[in-house]
Amino acid sequence: MAKYKIAPLKTWQRAKEIRANYYRDYEAAHEKGGLRWAGGAWTFDAIPAGLGDDVHSITSEPYGATIAYQKEFSDRCLEAAENAGYARDLCSYMRNYWGSILLDEYGWVEPGEERKPFPKPDFVWQDHICCSHAKWYQVVSDLEGGIPTFDIDVAVGPYDKTTKHGIDYVVGQMLDGIDWLEKTTGRKYDDQKLIEAVYNTCRSESTWAEICVLNQAVPAPLEEKTMYSLYVLGTLEKSSQEVADFYEELKAEVEERVANKIAAVENEQARVMTDTQPPWGFLRVFRYMAAKYGCVSIGSLYTFALIGNWLWEDGKFVPRPTPQSQGVELKDREHALRVLAEWELSKPEWQHFYSPKYKSDMMIQIAKDWKLDGVMLHYNRGCEGLSLGIAENRLAILEAGFPVMIFEGNMGDEREFDEARTTARIDSFMESLSIPKLT
Amino acid sequence: MIEMFQEWYENRHDYAKHWKEENGGKVLGYFCTYVPEEICYAAGVLPVRILGSHEPQDVTEPHIFAMYCPFCRDCLAQGLEGRYDYLDGIMIAQSCLHVRQAYTSWDLHIPTDFSYYLPMPHNVQSPRAVPYLLEELKSFKKALEDWTGKEITDDDLKRGIEIVNRDRQLMRDVYELRKREEPPLSGLESMYLVVSSQMIDKEEHARALEDSLKQLQDRTMGRPVGHRLMILGSEDDDHEFVDMVESCGSTFVIDDHCTGSRYFWDRVDLDGGDPLTAIATRYVNRVPCPSKDWPERTRVPHILDLANEWDASGAVILQQKFCDPHELDIPAIKEALEEQGLTTLFLELDVTVPIGQFKTRVEAFLEIMEEEDLF
C-alpha cells in the first residue's frame, strides 16, 4: 500500500498551454503584424516588452532543450552544426539551435502537423555572463546572413560585492539598448509597458521561489521532473503577466497539496537534489529513482534559482520579496531599469560565475533545509556555464557531511549520456545511503 | 642573445625568487593578459603570468571537471604542486570561464596574502565599458596600495605605463623585422621573446630587447625561410610544437594569440590625460580575446591584416581543447583566411601534444601549400 496520497497537478494543463502558445505566438508574429526576437533565458526580456504586446520572443536555452527532447531531430541538428564546422564539445543547446537554423526546421511541432521552417528573428536581445551567451548569437547572425544584435554584459562581480558603478554599467547598456530597439524596429518605446514587465518579472521570480520552499515539506508536493515543466515558463517569458499569474495559481495549489499531504512520489523514503540541467532525453531516470527506491529529487539550485530569486543572508536561503511588496513604486524608465538590474544581479544562479564557494554554500543550505539524504551532481558536458566549479562544489558538499553521487552526461546531446551506467550508479548510491528497494 | 629569453622562460621560477631577494618586492601571479600590469609596476610589484608546464599531472581532477581546457588545468597543477610557492599574491582579470576555474580553485586551496578578482568588462564594444573599468581600476589600485602599504601616485602610474609601453614598442619593432623576406628570427625565437616578457621585470626585459634589436638588424636565421606561416588561436607556449613546424620547412612570421602579439600589440596612449583612464581605454580597446569579441567580430579583419602585412601564405589555427570562445570564432576565421587565399591547418592542443601525429599533419599541410604554389 502506498505511503502517501498522490494526485495530478490541476494546473498542469494550463502550464502546457502557456508553453504551446509561446512557441505558436513567436512563429505567427509576422502574420499579425508583430515582431520576433531571440535571446537567452536569462536576458532582460522585460525591456523588449516596451515595444508592444505583439512582440514575441524565442529564448535559446529552452528551445535547445525542446529540441533535445526530440532525439531524432536533435541528432540531425547536432550533426548539421558539426558539419558546418562547430566543435562537438560546445554548448549542446547552441548546437541544437544552430542545427535547427541550418536545417531550416522549427523545433516546435503541432501534433499531427509537418515541421515548419525555422522562423528567423527580427532582432537579437541577449545578455552575457557565460562565455557562450553573446557568442551564441554571433553565430546565429552568421548563419542567418546578419541579424541586428544587442548584448548586455552583466558580469559585474558577485552580488555581495555589487558596486554602484557596476549597476551603472548594466543600466547604461540597458538605456543604450532601448535607443537601439527604437532605431532597429522603428517603434516608439512605451515606458509604462516596461514598468509593468519589471513588476511581472519580480513577481514571477519571487513566487517561483516561494513554490520551491513548499517542497521542504515531507512528503514533497513536487518532484524535479515535474518542476522542469513548471520553472520553464519563467525561462520563456518571466516578464509576462500570464506567467506571473500562473505561478500564483500554482503556488495556491502546491500549498493545498502540502496541507493535504499529497505527495509527488507515493512512497517517498529518500530525498535528493541534483545540479545543472538534466539530460533532457532521459528524464525517465527520475521515474526510475521514484519507482524503485521511493527517492524524490526535490529540485536543485538550478530549478530553484535559474528563475527563482532568493535572498542569501546569514545562512538563510529564502525567497526575495518583490520591490512592489516592499512599497517600491517604479517611477520612470531609468528607475525601472535600475530596479531590474539590481534584482537580476542578485540571482543565486549568477553567483558561481565568480567563485564556486557561493554555490557550495547555497547548496549545503538547501541540503539542510530541504532535509536531503544525498546529492546527485550532473557533470554536464553540454554546459560549461553551469558546470563551472562543480568539482569544487562536490568537495564542499562532501565536507559538509552530505553523500554525493556524480554522473556525467550532456543536457542536449544524447550521444554523451549512458543511461544504463547512470542507473547502475543510482543503484550503488541508494545502496550506500541504505535506501531499500521498493520492488 | 635570443638564448637569454629562452633561459628566462625556462627558469622563470628561479628568476622570480631571485628578483624578490634583490628587490624585496612582492610578486603577483596573474591568470590572464587583461590584468593591467602598468598598475602593478606603479606599485613596485612584479606581475608574472601563471603558465603551465606541459607535463602530465594528476592533481587537478578533483578540482576541475575534465571538460575544461587543458591550459587551465595545467596552470592550476603548477600551484597545487607548489611550483609557485614564492608568490605573494594572485589575481585574475575576468575573461573566459576556463581560466577562471584555475584562479578560483587556487584561491580556495593555496593560501596567499592577496587574491584579487578584477571584473574586467566583457562588452568592450560598448561606450559604457571604459567608465566602468576606470572605476574598477581605482578599486584595484586601492587594493594594491593597502596590500603594499604604499600610495600609488599619478607619477607612479605614468612610470608604470612607460615601463610597459616601452617593452611593447620594442616587441613591435622586433615584429616589424619579421616582415622581411628573410626574417632575422624564427617563430620559436619570437615566442621566447614575448612569453618571457610576461614573467620578467619589464625594464630588464626591455634592455635585453634593445640589445637584441641591434643585433637582429644584420642577422639571418641561417636556414631557408620556407613557407611563411601565421599561427593563431588559444594561448600557446608549446615550444616543442612550434619548433617541429618550423623544422618541416616553414617559418612563423606572425601570430595572433595571447602569448604572442595579442599581449603587447596596443599601447597605452597617455597623451597628457588621466593615467588610469588611459589604462582603462587601452584594455577595453586592445586586440580582444574571443571571449570579448562581440557582437562584431573585430578579430577577423585584424587577423587578415596581419596575414597580409606579414605576407603569410598559410595559417596554423590552434585551439586549446574545449576552449569555447575560440571554437566559436574558428569557423568564421578559417573561412575568412581561406577566402584571402591562405591555406589553413586546424589542430587541437592538450597539455602535451602528440608531436609525431601532428608532424604528419603539418607535413601534409605544407605539401598542399607546395602543390598550390606549383599550380
Side-chain angles (χ1 to χ4, degrees):
Chain A
M1 187 181 160
K3 201 169 163 187
Y4 301 111
K5 290 178 283 185
I6 55 168
L9 273 178
K10 292 174 216 158
T11 43
W12 184 252
Q13 194 53 35
R14 179 76 189 118
K16 284 178 71 173
E17 280 167 16
I18 292 172
R19 179 163 171 262
N21 288 340
Y22 173 83
Y23 286 111
R24 283 179 199 135
D25 287 345
Y26 173 77
E27 194 264 330
H30 285 181
E31 290 167 25
K32 297 169 185 167
L35 294 173
R36 295 197 287 241
W37 66 270
W42 301 8
T43 199
F44 298 105
D45 65 321
I47 297 176
L51 291 173
D53 297 334
D54 59 347
V55 178
H56 298 282
S57 67
I58 184 169
T59 47
S60 34
E61 295 91 344
Y63 182 68
T66 296
I67 293 173
Y69 192 73
Q70 307 164 58
K71 289 187 186 179
E72 181 276 330
F73 180 49
S74 175
D75 283 348
R76 288 197 292 118
C77 288
L78 295 167
E79 281 173 12
E82 285 155 21
N83 286 340
Y86 296 100
R88 187 173 165 166
D89 56 271
L90 283 167
C91 162
S92 52
Y93 284 167
M94 281 196 308
R95 288 182 290 125
N96 278 321
Y97 191 114
W98 298 337
S100 165
I101 295 173
L102 286 159
L103 298 170
D104 196 19
E105 295 183 36
Y106 193 31
W108 181 261
V109 191
E110 298 293 342
E113 286 188 14
E114 291 285 301
R115 204 177 279 283
K116 292 180 178 171
F118 178 77
K120 180 181 172 181
D122 299 304
F123 64 90
V124 168
W125 178 260
Q126 172 67 313
D127 70 342
H128 186 90
I129 192 167
C130 166
C131 286
S132 299
H133 279 158
K135 302 292 281 185
W136 180 324
Y137 283 100
Q138 203 170 33
V139 174
V140 168
S141 183
D142 288 346
L143 298 178
E144 292 279 24
I147 300 178
T149 299
F150 196 91
D151 304 303
I152 296 177
D153 175 16
V154 296
V156 293
Y159 186 63
D160 65 350
K161 292 178 183 149
T162 304
T163 56
K164 180 185 172 296
H165 60 266
I167 302 274
D168 288 347
Y169 172 55
V170 176
V171 172
Q173 293 173 82
M174 291 169 154
L175 287 165
D176 294 345
I178 290 176
D179 293 343
W180 179 89
L181 285 171
E182 286 191 316
K183 272 186 208 147
T184 302
T185 65
R187 290 191 173 198
K188 186 163 168 44
Y189 195 78
D190 185 337
D191 288 339
Q192 197 50 46
K193 287 191 186 300
L194 165 71
I195 287 170
E196 285 307 314
V198 173
Y199 282 137
N200 287 334
T201 299
C202 300
R203 194 157 61 93
S204 294
E205 296 184 6
S206 186
T207 311
W208 175 249
E210 288 171 353
I211 292 165
C212 296
V213 167
L214 294 169
N215 237 20
Q216 290 178 357
V218 179
L222 298 171
E223 48 80 35
E224 194 167 21
K225 183 175 176 296
T226 304
M227 293 171 86
Y228 291 138
S229 300
L230 302 170
Y231 96 99
V232 74
L233 303 181
T235 70
L236 300 177
E237 210 169 12
K238 54 192 175 293
S239 68
S240 78
Q241 180 168 342
E242 192 177 32
V243 170
D245 288 349
F246 171 79
Y247 281 141
E248 287 184 353
E249 197 184 333
L250 175 65
K251 184 185 151 204
E253 187 185 355
V254 179
E255 283 170 340
E256 194 183 301
R257 287 171 75 92
V258 172
N260 293 299
K261 283 199 171 293
I262 296 173
V265 171
E266 61 184 351
N267 289 305
E268 178 183 314
Q269 60 174 353
R271 296 163 71 90
V272 295
M273 70 171 164
T274 68
D275 186 44
T276 84
Q277 308 89 324
W280 290 109
F282 299 91
L283 295 181
R284 55 179 174 259
V285 295
F286 289 95
R287 288 221 178 97
Y288 176 81
M289 294 193 313
K292 196 161 181 186
Y293 295 100
C295 178
V296 61
S297 177
I298 55 77
S300 56
L301 188 66
Y302 167 72
T303 40
F304 287 3
L306 186 71
I307 285 307
N309 208 338
W310 303 72
L311 282 178
W312 168 242
E313 285 172 349
D314 307 323
K316 289 184 186 140
F317 193 64
V318 293
R320 184 170 175 186
T322 61
Q324 52 266 46
S325 73
Q326 305 292 296
V328 175
E329 192 178 335
L330 303 180
K331 295 191 285 282
D332 54 28
R333 177 184 297 183
E334 183 154 353
H335 186 213
L337 295 179
R338 197 159 281 279
V339 167
L340 180 63
E342 197 270 336
W343 174 265
E344 294 290 72
L345 289 174
S346 74
K347 270 191 178 164
E349 197 70 347
W350 290 21
Q351 309 311 312
H352 75 283
F353 285 95
Y354 309 105
S355 170
K357 190 169 185 315
Y358 292 103
K359 186 170 165 185
S360 297
D361 289 349
M362 287 186 270
M363 291 178 85
I364 291 165
Q365 197 63 44
I366 292 173
K368 289 176 184 166
D369 293 347
W370 273 257
K371 309 167 192 76
L372 302 189
D373 299 288
V375 178
M376 295 168 60
L377 299 179
H378 179 204
Y379 276 34
N380 183 355
R381 300 180 75 91
C383 179
E384 66 162 19
L386 295 191
S387 296
L388 186 73
I390 196 166
E392 293 291 358
N393 300 141
R394 173 183 163 272
L395 293 175
I397 295 166
L398 282 170
E399 198 178 326
F402 291 93
V404 179
M405 166 194 147
I406 63 166
F407 62 106
E408 198 162 324
N410 191 312
M411 64 197 179
D413 188 340
E414 66 152 350
R415 300 168 301 182
E416 293 194 334
F417 183 72
D418 186 334
E419 188 178 8
R421 193 171 169 189
T422 304
T423 49
R425 276 201 175 204
I426 290 170
D427 290 340
S428 304
F429 189 52
M430 292 296 139
E431 193 177 334
S432 73
L433 295 177
S434 305
I435 307 298
K437 279 183 195 167
L438 294 174
T439 52
Chain B
M1 178 188 61
I2 303 288
E3 295 74 21
M4 166 65 84
F5 298 97
Q6 181 178 349
E7 206 176 302
W8 274 336
Y9 169 71
E10 288 171 354
N11 301 303
R12 68 191 86 154
H13 302 304
D14 292 340
Y15 177 89
K17 286 174 195 167
H18 182 67
W19 184 92
K20 273 179 79 160
E21 280 170 20
E22 289 279 300
N23 297 277
K26 293 181 187 295
V27 180
L28 178 68
Y30 70 90
F31 283 87
C32 172
T33 58
Y34 275 93
V35 165
E37 292 180 279
E38 294 85 349
I39 305 175
C40 302
Y41 278 99
V45 169
L46 177 67
V48 297
R49 186 173 182 191
I50 293 170
L51 294 174
S53 65
H54 301 285
E55 295 164 300
Q57 52 84 17
D58 61 359
V59 293
T60 59
E61 205 63 20
H63 302 285
I64 300 182
F65 176 22
M67 66 170 274
Y68 290 86
C69 83
F71 174 64
C72 74
R73 284 182 275 128
D74 199 6
C75 287
L76 177 61
Q78 305 310 305
L80 294 172
E81 288 175 345
R83 292 179 181 171
Y84 279 95
D85 57 0
Y86 54 85
L87 292 181
D88 300 292
I90 56 164
M91 80 169 291
I92 190 170
Q94 181 168 261
S95 51
C96 72
L97 301 181
H98 295 242
V99 77
R100 203 178 302 176
Q101 287 208 119
Y103 166 77
T104 53
S105 285
W106 193 305
D107 181 50
L108 282 172
H109 301 289
I110 306 167
T112 50
D113 288 349
F114 180 82
S115 179
Y116 199 87
Y117 185 106
L118 175 68
M120 169 74 207
H122 289 305
N123 196 355
V124 292
Q125 293 176 22
S126 163
R128 309 286 179 169
V130 170
Y132 170 63
L133 181 58
L134 173 61
E135 294 304 315
E136 284 299 332
L137 293 186
K138 287 178 187 169
S139 302
F140 174 54
K141 174 174 160 284
K142 170 80 172 50
L144 277 182
E145 287 172 335
D146 292 345
W147 183 41
T148 59
K150 177 180 163 276
E151 187 194 355
I152 301 171
T153 64
D154 273 7
D155 283 343
D156 292 330
L157 287 171
K158 286 174 189 166
R159 187 175 47 82
I161 291 169
E162 277 168 23
I163 291 169
V164 184
N165 266 356
R166 181 170 166 236
D167 203 66
R168 288 178 179 135
Q169 184 55 53
L170 290 164
M171 282 307 313
R172 288 289 292 257
D173 294 345
V174 171
Y175 269 50
E176 275 300 304
L177 299 177
R178 300 173 75 193
K179 284 181 177 171
R180 289 180 180 172
E181 202 171 316
E182 294 275 342
L185 75 170
S186 67
L188 178 64
E189 289 170 326
S190 173
M191 190 206 84
Y192 285 130
L193 261 58
V194 184
V195 76
S196 63
S197 76
Q198 300 184 338
M199 48 196 63
I200 300 302
D201 185 328
K202 281 196 166 44
E203 288 188 282
E204 192 173 354
H205 190 264
R207 283 195 294 274
L209 269 182
E210 245 170 11
D211 289 345
S212 301
L213 259 171
K214 285 176 201 154
Q215 296 174 44
L216 285 171
Q217 299 302 328
D218 304 317
R219 186 183 188 242
T220 60
M221 288 190 294
R223 65 163 175 84
V225 176
H227 294 286
R228 296 176 69 90
L229 300 180
M230 180 176 197
I231 185 167
L232 64 117
S234 306
E235 187 280 338
D236 174 31
D237 64 328
D238 199 316
H239 52 89
E240 202 180 347
F241 172 78
V242 173
D243 190 32
M244 178 273 287
V245 177
E246 294 197 309
S247 71
C248 292
S250 65
T251 301
F252 286 115
V253 293
I254 190 62
D255 64 72
D256 174 64
H257 55 78
C258 64
T259 33
S261 69
R262 207 187 303 145
Y263 168 63
F264 66 80
W265 208 245
D266 303 286
R267 289 161 48 90
V268 175
D269 187 3
L270 190 54
D271 201 24
D274 168 52
L276 273 187
T277 306
I279 295 170
T281 306
R282 187 269 171 191
Y283 281 89
V284 166
N285 293 337
R286 59 163 268 190
V287 178
C289 163
S291 68
K292 296 184 192 296
D293 197 29
W294 47 265
E296 298 301 321
R297 289 188 192 280
T298 65
R299 287 183 66 226
V300 175
H302 173 69
I303 287 167
L304 294 180
D305 285 348
L306 291 180
N308 188 38
E309 283 187 42
W310 271 259
D311 194 24
S313 54
V316 177
I317 303 172
L318 287 173
Q319 175 218 311
Q320 294 282 341
K321 196 172 168 70
F322 305 126
C323 174
D324 294 43
H326 278 283
E327 286 175 342
L328 284 154
D329 270 4
I330 283 169
I333 288 171
K334 188 168 180 289
E335 186 182 345
L337 284 168
E338 287 171 1
E339 272 176 17
Q340 191 162 292
L342 278 86
T343 309
T344 65
L345 172 68
F346 169 72
L347 294 170
E348 235 179 22
L349 293 175
D350 211 322
V351 172
T352 58
V353 296
I355 285 291
Q357 290 175 34
F358 276 10
K359 188 172 184 189
T360 307
R361 294 179 65 181
V362 167
E363 284 170 343
F365 163 66
L366 296 174
E367 270 179 35
I368 290 167
M369 289 181 70
E370 271 156 32
E371 282 176 20
E372 283 172 358
D373 288 346
L374 280 174
F375 304 108

